[in-house]
Amino acid sequence: MAAVVGSQDLRRPVVVALQTLAVAACYYVSGQLGLLRELVVEGSVVTPVWPPTGVSVTFLLIFGLRCWPGIALGAFLVILSLTSLSPSAFGVLVGNTAAPVVGYLLLRRAGFRTDLARLRDGLALVFLGAFTAMLISSTVGAGLLLVTGKLDWASFWAVWLAWWVGDAMGVLIVTPVLLLLSRVRPPLRLSRWKEASGLALIICCVVPLAAHSPVSLLFLIYPLLIWAALRFQLAGSMLCALFASITATVAATDRAGPFDRLTRVEVMIKLQAFNGAMALTALILSAVITEQINTRRSVERACQELVEVLEHLTAGEPADGRASLEDGGLGRRQDE
């Protein structure tokens, strides 16, 4: 028994170390992917969507607070790949680590469920995990640029807004997709696969056309988003939103389609408004539809159970009735 306990004690630090390295690697890879597409706002480089925030919140929701060292290590590696070590760099590191941790604590306090099957879960992820928690990283980051003289007051709010929206979009777009993938278990049921294939084909054709057309056709994506949410709930709507966000970000950074001939600030505003509206639509609509479906199923189960109970009661009543009638008739005959 002592040997078993000892082996478990030795195995636990190894598991924690491997988990920390895995979280750091995922953070770093997602950060490098986010840096592939950048926007310059008031002389500062920002990313329209910062995937590491979504990766961090997802790992915290799945594994808990014990994975925060991996988030800190991943943020350190990303910062190290961009700039040299300095007090301001460590400040950004603290902000990028604290923001998802605070988001996780707020979501846990709100009773958040990772299946996103309730409207309250979607609203909590939007307003607590994204909008509120990411105020920390954007305020710390933009504030340090201001303090170190790399940013002036006239440009502070534009950079702060771009930083905050980019971090929030990472949570709104990446976190639901990763939570969905974490719940996938084989074998996969391929119900409505023909409709799913047709929808995917249409999305792959319409979304690039809308994002790169010189005529502003981004509104064509919303009917596809609604279709995906109605028929495939979270899986359909968030995958569609992720693909549309990536395509629109590529078009914006290339100054193509509806983003042509716009200033840098106008490109940022138009792209972030599109990404934000699309992510909110996909997340909230799919949560509402899933909640209604679950409610209908609960009512159907309750009705089925009630029918079964009535059938049992109805099956017992004739026998009791016949018995009572026979007893009554026998009593009358005896009286006669």
Side-chain angles (χ1 to χ4, degrees), residues 89-111:
F90 280 103
V92 173
L93 170 63
V94 172
N96 288 351
T97 304
V101 170
V102 171
Y104 162 72
L105 294 175
L106 291 174
L107 290 174
R108 189 177 67 172
R109 186 173 183 82

Side-chain angles (χ1 to χ4, degrees), residues 64-261:
L65 283 176
R66 67 177 182 270
C67 69
W68 77 262
I71 297 173
L73 178 59
F76 174 77
L77 294 175
V78 171
I79 294 172
L80 192 63
S81 67
L82 296 174
T83 183
S84 59
L85 296 180
S86 63
S88 61
F90 280 103
V92 173
L93 170 63
V94 172
N96 288 351
T97 304
V101 170
V102 171
Y104 162 72
L105 294 175
L106 291 174
L107 290 174
R108 189 177 67 172
R109 186 173 183 82
F112 178 80
R113 292 192 337 206
T114 57
D115 58 0
L116 288 168
R118 303 174 300 175
L119 177 60
R120 60 178 293 184
D121 297 325
L123 295 175
L125 185 63
V126 171
F127 292 102
L128 298 180
F131 289 170
T132 300
M134 297 306 126
L135 291 172
I136 298 174
S137 57
S138 60
T139 303
V140 171
L144 287 172
L145 291 177
L146 182 65
V147 170
T148 56
K150 298 178 181 178
L151 193 67
D152 53 20
W153 271 112
S155 306
F156 173 79
W157 290 111
V159 174
W160 177 88
L161 180 62
W163 197 316
W164 174 64
V165 173
D167 287 356
M169 288 303 101
V171 177
L172 293 181
I173 294 176
V174 177
T175 296
V177 175
L178 294 180
L179 289 176
L180 176 68
L181 294 177
S182 68
R183 300 176 63 86
V184 173
R185 298 291 184 273
L188 298 177
R189 288 180 290 181
L190 300 178
S191 58
R192 299 200 306 270
W193 65 270
K194 293 182 179 179
E195 182 182 2
S197 300
L199 176 60
L201 181 61
I202 295 174
I203 290 174
C204 290
C205 294
V206 173
V207 171
L209 175 64
H212 290 82
S213 173
V215 182
S216 185
L217 298 176
L218 291 175
F219 62 90
L220 292 177
I221 297 175
Y222 286 96
L224 301 177
L225 199 67
I226 295 171
W227 178 9
L230 288 173
R231 299 297 293 166
F232 303 100
Q233 289 78 57
L234 186 67
S237 64
M238 292 313 304
L239 289 176
C240 177
L242 177 63
F243 178 69
S245 176
I246 294 173
T247 306
T249 300
V250 171
T253 52
D254 290 341
R255 300 294 184 88
F259 302 98
D260 188 21
R261 298 180 182 179

